[in-house]
Amino acid sequence: MSERFVAPAVREDEREFDAALRPRTLDEFVGQDRVKEQLGLLIQGARARGEFADHLLFSGPPGLGKTTLAGIVSHEMGVGFRPTSGPALERAGDLAAILTNLEDGDVLFVDEVHRMPRAVEELMYEALEDFKLDVVIGKGPSARSIRLDLPRFTLVAATTRPGMLTLPLRERFGFAPRLDYYSKEDLELVVLRSARILGVDVDAVGAREIARRSRGTPRVANRLLRRVRDFAEVRADGKIDGRAARGGLELFEVDEQGLDKVDVGILGTLIRKFDGGPVGLSTLAASVGEETETIEDVYEPYLLQLGFLKRTPRGRVATELAYRHLGVTASGALPLG
């Protein structure tokens, strides 16, 4: 998984690179126009009233800008930014330590909030509504509860699985937009902006070629830009034009629809071994050597979005579009010359 160039999850070696390319204001942020407009209105209204922003919940697939928007909220409101994640808050004491160290107005960003333990989540309810925290000190008969006053803060949470959030937690957010996949036009603007920051010479054709293979995800677009930059510098004159972009992306096995060899392998297995399906998820996963959760959470969403795959009560089915994309006949054989 760490070697997949089209995987939307951030990799350890990309964190500094990812942070350097993040826009700091709504004006710099590309795409998600309706969410930007709504968020801008919310921020301007809060600032005009001299208040802090409502608690926010951003949901959507990974790599679309949830963390970036959280940072933008902090910057636009002129307050501090304290990031953490749901899995990092293992105990109630972890949450208490973070909340009691916040300053008035700070943005507390919790990534993957759906993975927060239930005990920590229940402690969060009162903190979000009343800005108070009940802490139990000691154990057994000598245990006692202390109520702490917290600074007024804004919780900005992000999740890739909004359905896993409990209703009481969801209801405590004042605004909960969902981020959608980006259009090719928006991704082209993302590539051009990132290229300017990196000092990469890229023309419109090269940017368009990278954008249309980026699976609707800015993080993937930036990753492919880095790989094509390497190709252009080593095997071309350093400029990313259409030819260099196509050559680099073909070398790294990213096809015209943004599929890599794993995606193609899943579709090929479904078509050639199972006559296009239907086939159960566990059987398909075993056939391609992946975990069922990996197939369902990582590979399937984009294949479903393209219309190459269908989920049915009897299992997964390859569509006619998948047959055409792989260039195979309905029988699963390669077409005759």
Side-chain angles (χ1 to χ4, degrees), residues 206-233:
R208 191 174 306 119
E209 192 67 33
I210 294 171
R212 72 192 186 97
R213 304 193 193 201
S214 297
R215 304 167 75 97
T217 306
R219 183 177 292 150
V220 173
N222 288 330
R223 185 179 300 154
L224 295 182
L225 173 64
R226 293 176 70 195
R227 299 288 71 82
V228 173
R229 176 186 62 177
D230 295 337
F231 179 89
E233 290 176 349

Short mmCIF file of all heavy atoms in Angstrom, two decimals, residues 206-233:
data_model
loop_
_atom_site.label_atom_id
_atom_site.label_comp_id
_atom_site.label_asym_id
_atom_site.label_seq_id
_atom_site.Cartn_x
_atom_site.Cartn_y
_atom_site.Cartn_z
N GLY A 206 0.49 19.40 -20.06
CA GLY A 206 1.04 18.51 -19.05
C GLY A 206 0.21 18.50 -17.78
O GLY A 206 -0.02 17.44 -17.18
N ALA A 207 -0.23 19.68 -17.34
CA ALA A 207 -1.07 19.76 -16.14
C ALA A 207 -2.39 19.03 -16.35
O ALA A 207 -2.88 18.35 -15.44
CB ALA A 207 -1.32 21.22 -15.79
N ARG A 208 -2.95 19.16 -17.55
CA ARG A 208 -4.22 18.49 -17.83
C ARG A 208 -4.06 16.97 -17.82
O ARG A 208 -4.93 16.24 -17.33
CB ARG A 208 -4.74 18.96 -19.19
CG ARG A 208 -6.18 18.55 -19.49
CD ARG A 208 -6.66 19.18 -20.79
NE ARG A 208 -6.47 20.63 -20.77
CZ ARG A 208 -5.72 21.29 -21.63
NH1 ARG A 208 -5.10 20.65 -22.60
NH2 ARG A 208 -5.59 22.61 -21.54
N GLU A 209 -2.93 16.49 -18.32
CA GLU A 209 -2.68 15.05 -18.36
C GLU A 209 -2.56 14.48 -16.95
O GLU A 209 -3.09 13.41 -16.65
CB GLU A 209 -1.39 14.77 -19.14
CG GLU A 209 -1.18 13.31 -19.50
CD GLU A 209 -2.19 12.80 -20.51
OE1 GLU A 209 -2.63 13.59 -21.38
OE2 GLU A 209 -2.55 11.60 -20.42
N ILE A 210 -1.87 15.21 -16.07
CA ILE A 210 -1.75 14.76 -14.69
C ILE A 210 -3.11 14.83 -13.99
O ILE A 210 -3.49 13.90 -13.26
CB ILE A 210 -0.72 15.63 -13.94
CG1 ILE A 210 0.69 15.42 -14.51
CG2 ILE A 210 -0.73 15.32 -12.44
CD1 ILE A 210 1.73 16.38 -13.98
N ALA A 211 -3.85 15.90 -14.23
CA ALA A 211 -5.13 16.10 -13.56
C ALA A 211 -6.13 14.99 -13.89
O ALA A 211 -6.83 14.49 -12.99
CB ALA A 211 -5.72 17.45 -13.94
N ARG A 212 -6.18 14.58 -15.15
CA ARG A 212 -7.20 13.59 -15.51
C ARG A 212 -6.88 12.18 -15.03
O ARG A 212 -7.72 11.29 -15.10
CB ARG A 212 -7.45 13.60 -17.02
CG ARG A 212 -6.37 13.02 -17.90
CD ARG A 212 -6.65 13.37 -19.36
NE ARG A 212 -5.73 12.72 -20.27
CZ ARG A 212 -5.99 11.59 -20.91
NH1 ARG A 212 -7.14 10.99 -20.72
NH2 ARG A 212 -5.11 11.06 -21.74
N ARG A 213 -5.65 11.98 -14.54
CA ARG A 213 -5.29 10.66 -14.00
C ARG A 213 -5.17 10.69 -12.47
O ARG A 213 -4.62 9.76 -11.88
CB ARG A 213 -3.95 10.20 -14.60
CG ARG A 213 -3.94 10.15 -16.11
CD ARG A 213 -2.74 9.42 -16.63
NE ARG A 213 -2.54 9.61 -18.07
CZ ARG A 213 -1.83 8.79 -18.85
NH1 ARG A 213 -1.27 7.73 -18.32
NH2 ARG A 213 -1.68 9.04 -20.14
N SER A 214 -5.69 11.73 -11.84
CA SER A 214 -5.48 11.93 -10.40
C SER A 214 -6.65 11.47 -9.55
O SER A 214 -6.73 11.82 -8.36
CB SER A 214 -5.18 13.41 -10.12
OG SER A 214 -3.98 13.79 -10.74
N ARG A 215 -7.58 10.75 -10.11
CA ARG A 215 -8.67 10.12 -9.36
C ARG A 215 -9.51 11.13 -8.57
O ARG A 215 -10.07 10.82 -7.53
CB ARG A 215 -8.11 9.06 -8.40
CG ARG A 215 -7.29 7.99 -9.10
CD ARG A 215 -6.51 7.16 -8.13
NE ARG A 215 -7.33 6.21 -7.41
CZ ARG A 215 -7.50 4.92 -7.73
NH1 ARG A 215 -6.89 4.44 -8.80
NH2 ARG A 215 -8.25 4.13 -7.02
N GLY A 216 -9.60 12.37 -9.08
CA GLY A 216 -10.42 13.38 -8.43
C GLY A 216 -9.89 13.85 -7.10
O GLY A 216 -10.63 14.45 -6.32
N THR A 217 -8.59 13.61 -6.83
CA THR A 217 -8.03 13.85 -5.50
C THR A 217 -6.79 14.73 -5.58
O THR A 217 -5.80 14.34 -6.21
CB THR A 217 -7.67 12.51 -4.83
OG1 THR A 217 -8.81 11.65 -4.84
CG2 THR A 217 -7.21 12.72 -3.40
N PRO A 218 -6.79 15.91 -4.94
CA PRO A 218 -5.61 16.79 -5.00
C PRO A 218 -4.34 16.14 -4.48
O PRO A 218 -3.25 16.37 -5.02
CB PRO A 218 -6.02 17.97 -4.11
CG PRO A 218 -7.50 17.99 -4.17
CD PRO A 218 -7.92 16.55 -4.26
N ARG A 219 -4.43 15.33 -3.43
CA ARG A 219 -3.22 14.69 -2.90
C ARG A 219 -2.59 13.78 -3.94
O ARG A 219 -1.36 13.73 -4.07
CB ARG A 219 -3.54 13.92 -1.62
CG ARG A 219 -2.30 13.29 -0.96
CD ARG A 219 -2.66 12.60 0.33
NE ARG A 219 -3.05 13.57 1.34
CZ ARG A 219 -3.93 13.30 2.31
NH1 ARG A 219 -4.52 12.13 2.38
NH2 ARG A 219 -4.22 14.24 3.19
N VAL A 220 -3.40 13.05 -4.67
CA VAL A 220 -2.87 12.19 -5.72
C VAL A 220 -2.27 13.03 -6.84
O VAL A 220 -1.21 12.71 -7.39
CB VAL A 220 -3.98 11.26 -6.27
CG1 VAL A 220 -3.48 10.47 -7.48
CG2 VAL A 220 -4.47 10.30 -5.18
N ALA A 221 -2.92 14.15 -7.18
CA ALA A 221 -2.39 15.04 -8.22
C ALA A 221 -1.01 15.56 -7.84
O ALA A 221 -0.09 15.58 -8.67
CB ALA A 221 -3.35 16.21 -8.44
N ASN A 222 -0.83 15.97 -6.59
CA ASN A 222 0.47 16.46 -6.15
C ASN A 222 1.52 15.36 -6.16
O ASN A 222 2.69 15.60 -6.49
CB ASN A 222 0.36 17.07 -4.75
CG ASN A 222 -0.37 18.40 -4.75
OD1 ASN A 222 -0.32 19.15 -5.72
ND2 ASN A 222 -1.07 18.70 -3.66
N ARG A 223 1.11 14.15 -5.80
CA ARG A 223 2.06 13.02 -5.81
C ARG A 223 2.49 12.69 -7.22
O ARG A 223 3.68 12.47 -7.50
CB ARG A 223 1.41 11.81 -5.15
CG ARG A 223 2.34 10.61 -4.99
CD ARG A 223 1.61 9.48 -4.30
NE ARG A 223 1.15 9.89 -2.98
CZ ARG A 223 0.11 9.36 -2.36
NH1 ARG A 223 -0.60 8.42 -2.95
NH2 ARG A 223 -0.24 9.77 -1.16
N LEU A 224 1.54 12.66 -8.16
CA LEU A 224 1.89 12.37 -9.55
C LEU A 224 2.75 13.49 -10.14
O LEU A 224 3.63 13.22 -10.97
CB LEU A 224 0.61 12.18 -10.37
CG LEU A 224 -0.25 10.97 -10.00
CD1 LEU A 224 -1.45 10.88 -10.93
CD2 LEU A 224 0.55 9.68 -10.06
N LEU A 225 2.50 14.73 -9.73
CA LEU A 225 3.33 15.84 -10.19
C LEU A 225 4.78 15.62 -9.79
O LEU A 225 5.70 15.85 -10.59
CB LEU A 225 2.81 17.15 -9.61
CG LEU A 225 3.67 18.40 -9.86
CD1 LEU A 225 3.75 18.71 -11.36
CD2 LEU A 225 3.12 19.60 -9.09
N ARG A 226 5.01 15.15 -8.59
CA ARG A 226 6.39 14.89 -8.13
C ARG A 226 7.05 13.80 -8.97
O ARG A 226 8.22 13.91 -9.34
CB ARG A 226 6.38 14.47 -6.66
CG ARG A 226 5.96 15.54 -5.70
CD ARG A 226 5.90 15.00 -4.29
NE ARG A 226 7.23 14.70 -3.76
CZ ARG A 226 7.43 13.96 -2.66
NH1 ARG A 226 6.40 13.41 -2.04
NH2 ARG A 226 8.64 13.76 -2.21
N ARG A 227 6.31 12.76 -9.27
CA ARG A 227 6.89 11.65 -10.04
C ARG A 227 7.15 12.06 -11.49
O ARG A 227 8.17 11.69 -12.08
CB ARG A 227 5.96 10.44 -10.00
CG ARG A 227 5.70 9.88 -8.61
CD ARG A 227 6.90 9.15 -8.02
NE ARG A 227 8.00 10.02 -7.64
CZ ARG A 227 8.05 10.70 -6.49
NH1 ARG A 227 7.06 10.63 -5.65
NH2 ARG A 227 9.10 11.45 -6.22
N VAL A 228 6.24 12.83 -12.06
CA VAL A 228 6.45 13.29 -13.43
C VAL A 228 7.59 14.30 -13.48
O VAL A 228 8.36 14.34 -14.45
CB VAL A 228 5.14 13.90 -13.99
CG1 VAL A 228 5.39 14.55 -15.35
CG2 VAL A 228 4.07 12.82 -14.12
N ARG A 229 7.74 15.10 -12.43
CA ARG A 229 8.88 16.01 -12.35
C ARG A 229 10.19 15.23 -12.41
O ARG A 229 11.12 15.62 -13.12
CB ARG A 229 8.82 16.83 -11.06
CG ARG A 229 10.02 17.74 -10.85
CD ARG A 229 9.98 18.41 -9.48
NE ARG A 229 10.02 17.45 -8.38
CZ ARG A 229 10.05 17.81 -7.10
NH1 ARG A 229 10.04 19.09 -6.76
NH2 ARG A 229 10.08 16.90 -6.15
N ASP A 230 10.28 14.11 -11.67
CA ASP A 230 11.48 13.28 -11.71
C ASP A 230 11.74 12.77 -13.13
O ASP A 230 12.88 12.79 -13.61
CB ASP A 230 11.34 12.09 -10.75
CG ASP A 230 11.24 12.52 -9.29
OD1 ASP A 230 11.72 13.62 -8.98
OD2 ASP A 230 10.69 11.75 -8.50
N PHE A 231 10.67 12.30 -13.78
CA PHE A 231 10.81 11.78 -15.14
C PHE A 231 11.29 12.87 -16.10
O PHE A 231 12.19 12.65 -16.92
CB PHE A 231 9.46 11.22 -15.61
CG PHE A 231 9.49 10.66 -17.01
CD1 PHE A 231 9.83 9.34 -17.24
CD2 PHE A 231 9.16 11.46 -18.10
CE1 PHE A 231 9.85 8.81 -18.53
CE2 PHE A 231 9.19 10.95 -19.39
CZ PHE A 231 9.53 9.63 -19.60
N ALA A 232 10.69 14.06 -15.98
CA ALA A 232 11.05 15.14 -16.89
C ALA A 232 12.50 15.59 -16.68
O ALA A 232 13.20 15.93 -17.64
CB ALA A 232 10.10 16.32 -16.69
N GLU A 233 12.95 15.61 -15.43
CA GLU A 233 14.31 16.06 -15.16
C GLU A 233 15.36 15.04 -15.59
O GLU A 233 16.46 15.41 -16.02
CB GLU A 233 14.47 16.35 -13.66
CG GLU A 233 13.70 17.59 -13.20
CD GLU A 233 13.79 17.80 -11.69
OE1 GLU A 233 14.28 16.87 -11.00
OE2 GLU A 233 13.36 18.87 -11.22
#
